[in-house]
Amino acid sequence: MTDDRQLSHLLRTALPSVDVPEPSRDLWPDIVQRAGTRERFSAADVSVAAIVVIALLLFPQWFWFLAYHL
Amino acid sequence: MPDGLDGELLERFVQGDQAAFESLFRQFEADVYRWIVRIVRDRSAADDVLVEAFWRAYRGRARFDPTRSFGAWMRRIASNAALDHLRAARTRAGWRTADDRIPSAPPPDRAIEESIAQAFRSLPPRLQIVATLALVEEQPYAEIAEALDLPVGTIKSRVFRATRLLRKELARLGITA
């Protein structure tokens, strides 16, 4: 047995295949629900927006710099 | 038409028709699910990744070319969703580099399999996904390349790097491969 085949054999023994032909339940309702959920802004998005607004109020000359980098 | 699908169905999907989307979901759900299970190797996680993958497909439907294979496109999206799941799982597990850990003694026989699985899970996710498909599931390189939207050469290189890292980690654990 070559080294690669031996490694494959070891991995297949340690990571047995999960023989599941289909999901445990109907997942279509989950997808519909997900599609109906509005995307929310994350805290990071809100923080970046706030920083940009404050920076523009304090330093309006930064507009083109921020426009280029954002 | 690739996949033997009705072109009008795909056009309706691209335009956002939910009935067309459901029809495609019903036709491809099992195939995509089996692909995801091969990668994440966990039934509960596979359910979540499947929902995420089809949601991403719906959200990105405008980028789908109805003259191309929906199955191949869906498999690429599912692979990326599965890869994101592996990354998140790794973050939750509090990943550390092998060099940070204290060298361990060879494990007892019954713990060897768990040690191998642990070594495998310690691989960077982009190497782990390729190694899972190539070394464990023995999928052809061309098929993996198509699913991950990468050149075959990149897949070969990642398999090589995954193998090298695994051997190093297994040697550290006192397991010869």
Side-chain angles (χ1 to χ4, degrees), chain B residues 104-116:
Chain B
S104 52
D109 284 351
R110 66 174 179 268
I112 286 179
E113 285 179 7
E114 181 48 41
S115 298
I116 295 168

Side-chain angles (χ1 to χ4, degrees), chain A residues 15-38:
Chain A
L15 303 160
S17 62
V18 184
D19 192 17
V20 187
E22 56 189 27
S24 53
R25 59 190 173 83
D26 182 11
L27 294 173
W28 176 248
D30 292 38
I31 295 169
V32 173
Q33 188 185 13
R34 184 87 185 264
T37 308
R38 296 172 102 188

Side-chain angles (χ1 to χ4, degrees), chain B:
Chain B
M1 188 64 60
D3 307 317
L5 288 173
D6 177 7
E8 191 199 329
L9 178 72
L10 294 173
E11 290 284 358
R12 280 171 41 219
F13 162 69
V14 170
Q15 286 160 15
D17 183 325
Q18 192 167 309
F21 180 40
E22 182 175 3
S23 174
L24 289 168
F25 171 77
R26 300 287 178 208
Q27 289 181 63
F28 287 89
E29 172 190 23
D31 181 56
V32 174
Y33 184 76
R34 283 193 295 272
W35 182 257
I36 291 169
V37 165
R38 283 176 183 157
I39 297 169
V40 302
R41 313 191 81 73
D42 176 279
R43 185 173 192 158
S44 163
D47 284 2
D48 294 341
V49 175
L50 184 85
V51 170
E52 174 66 22
F54 274 95
W55 161 237
R56 286 186 190 185
Y58 188 67
R59 207 173 48 181
R61 63 191 180 277
R63 291 192 299 274
F64 175 65
D65 176 357
T67 62
R68 308 289 294 272
S69 163
F70 180 82
W73 184 67
M74 200 58 238
R75 192 175 269 200
R76 275 197 291 278
I77 293 172
S79 301
N80 283 324
L83 183 58
D84 288 344
H85 167 80
L86 294 179
R87 286 186 177 125
R90 184 185 172 90
T91 305
R92 281 195 298 273
W95 179 79
R96 293 176 299 168
T97 61
D99 294 340
D100 292 339
R101 282 174 267 169
I102 300 163
S104 52
D109 284 351
R110 66 174 179 268
I112 286 179
E113 285 179 7
E114 181 48 41
S115 298
I116 295 168
Q118 196 180 334
F120 193 78
R121 285 192 290 267
S122 76
L123 287 173
R126 68 199 171 101
L127 298 185
Q128 191 183 329
I129 191 171
V130 170
T132 303
L133 293 169
L135 301 174
V136 183
E137 295 294 334
E138 297 187 306
Q139 296 292 307
Y141 284 173
E143 198 171 326
I144 301 170
E146 188 181 10
L148 297 178
D149 203 15
L150 290 169
V152 172
T154 304
I155 301 299
K156 287 180 182 173
S157 147
R158 288 189 183 180
V159 169
F160 176 77
R161 283 160 57 202
T163 305
R164 196 176 53 186
L165 276 175
L166 266 175
R167 286 220 167 87
K168 191 176 164 188
E169 181 65 2
L170 292 178
R172 194 186 67 81
L173 294 167
I175 300 165
T176 312

Side-chain angles (χ1 to χ4, degrees), chain A residues 3 10 15-16 18 23 27 29 37 42-43 46 52 56-58:
Chain A
D3 285 353
L10 272 179
L15 303 160
V18 184
L27 294 173
T37 308
S42 69
V46 174
V52 168
L56 284 175
L57 287 173
L58 294 175

